[in-house]
Amino acid sequence: MARLMYKQIADDLRARIYGGELEPGDDVPTEAELADRWATSRGPIRNALALLRGEGLIETTRGRPARVVDRKAQQPVDVSIPFTRWAREIGAVPGARTQEVSLRRADPHKAALLDVEPGTPVIDVVRLRLLDGIPTMLERLSYTETAGRVLFDADLDAVSITELLEQHGFGSQDVDHEIDATAADELDARHLEVAEGSPVLRLHRVSRDADGRPFEASEDRYRSDIVRFTVSVSGRSRTGEHYVRPLRP
């Protein structure tokens, strides 16, 4: 019964937050107030608050009531979802402002990611992505020439590049993701409207076709005050190498 109780309490508080009764900055009722309202002990109350904290809806600080926080858009990284589709799924209006589409010679780093020889022509794209008109993510995309050529004939402000490439036979059969944080450089600061040097979340991605050949390598930089990454773990690893990779000098 207690196990179901904490879910009911969490559902009630969540509805009050999403409904606007409890707004960002508001205090959540105290444990004593919630225990009295629900005629229960503090155990289910604490479990309910822990659930909401894990969802990013509230923050808790020792010595004061829990507080509602600004909600961040959650971006799952254990699956590959185009930004446009993801934005619509969370009820936001996606937007794009293409900054650059160019044909370049691959430097050694891009060549290694795309498994081509250095100096091979590749297509580079820089594109700003928006949620409800707010600058949210800056994409730095690189494609093999075969895949990327189709981008020159499209309005990249109006389409999902992932879906466009799928229509031309370049669907992602395997995608590698790597997440870290970095300081916003001058390009990030200008387009994301943040201070240069401020922290941004960075997602590296390499996409491969049905034959296992890389055709896309990207570095997406997200505003950390708007987006957070989530990972759903369906199993256990004996060593953890799938989830944590040590950095080496």
Side-chain angles (χ1 to χ4, degrees):
M1 184 67 173
R3 186 180 309 165
L4 296 176
M5 177 65 73
Y6 89 87
K7 290 184 178 180
Q8 293 174 22
I9 297 168
D11 288 345
D12 179 70
L13 289 172
R14 189 185 298 108
R16 294 169 68 184
I17 292 171
Y18 282 125
E21 182 181 343
L22 292 172
E23 298 182 340
D26 288 349
D27 287 341
V28 175
T30 65
E31 290 184 8
E33 291 169 338
L34 289 170
D36 182 63
R37 174 179 177 178
W38 289 89
T40 186
S41 66
R42 295 199 180 192
I45 303 300
R46 289 169 181 164
N47 288 338
L49 295 177
L51 182 61
L52 297 179
R53 184 175 62 245
E55 294 175 5
L57 295 178
I58 65 172
E59 62 181 5
T60 54
T61 305
R62 185 180 295 275
R64 62 154 297 135
R67 176 181 294 177
V68 180
V69 298
D70 286 317
R71 294 192 294 276
K72 295 184 178 182
Q74 299 188 47
Q75 168 74 286
V77 292
D78 52 327
V79 293
S80 184
I81 301 176
F83 184 96
T84 299
R85 188 186 309 164
W86 166 69
R88 289 172 178 155
E89 286 179 357
I90 65 173
V93 177
R97 296 176 189 161
T98 304
Q99 309 300 315
E100 174 187 327
V101 184
S102 59
L103 177 66
R104 290 203 172 112
R105 301 285 179 180
D107 61 26
H109 176 65
K110 288 181 183 176
L113 291 174
L114 293 172
D115 194 22
V116 297
E117 292 294 325
T120 300
V122 296
I123 311 300
D124 282 350
V125 177
V126 177
R127 189 169 64 156
L128 177 66
R129 304 311 308 269
L130 305 97
L131 291 178
D132 293 333
I134 301 173
T136 299
M137 184 259 282
L138 188 65
E139 297 175 312
R140 294 167 167 85
L141 308 163
S142 295
Y143 296 92
T144 58
E145 184 179 12
T146 304
R149 280 287 183 182
V150 301
L151 304 182
F152 286 108
D153 298 323
D155 178 1
L156 300 186
D157 286 0
V159 300
S160 162
I161 291 180
T162 300
E163 294 174 353
L164 175 65
L165 290 175
E166 287 176 350
Q167 294 168 11
H168 286 81
F170 291 95
S172 300
Q173 298 299 314
D174 180 50
V175 182
D176 290 337
H177 288 150
E178 183 176 303
I179 310 164
D180 63 5
T182 190
D185 61 19
E186 187 275 333
L187 189 67
D188 299 324
R190 174 156 37 96
H191 293 297
L192 292 175
E193 299 179 5
V194 298
E196 189 170 350
S198 62
V200 292
L201 298 173
R202 180 167 58 180
L203 176 64
H204 300 272
R205 184 176 68 250
V206 175
S207 303
R208 298 180 179 83
D209 61 21
D211 295 322
R213 293 189 297 261
F215 67 89
E216 175 196 54
S218 72
E219 182 179 306
D220 303 335
R221 299 192 179 195
Y222 292 81
R223 279 180 49 171
S224 58
D225 62 327
I226 296 177
V227 173
R228 71 174 182 175
F229 295 130
T230 62
V231 179
S232 176
V233 179
S234 58
R236 293 179 179 269
S237 169
R238 294 182 180 275
T239 60
E241 72 272 9
H242 297 298
Y243 312 113
V244 180
R245 180 176 60 82
L247 297 178
R248 305 188 184 281

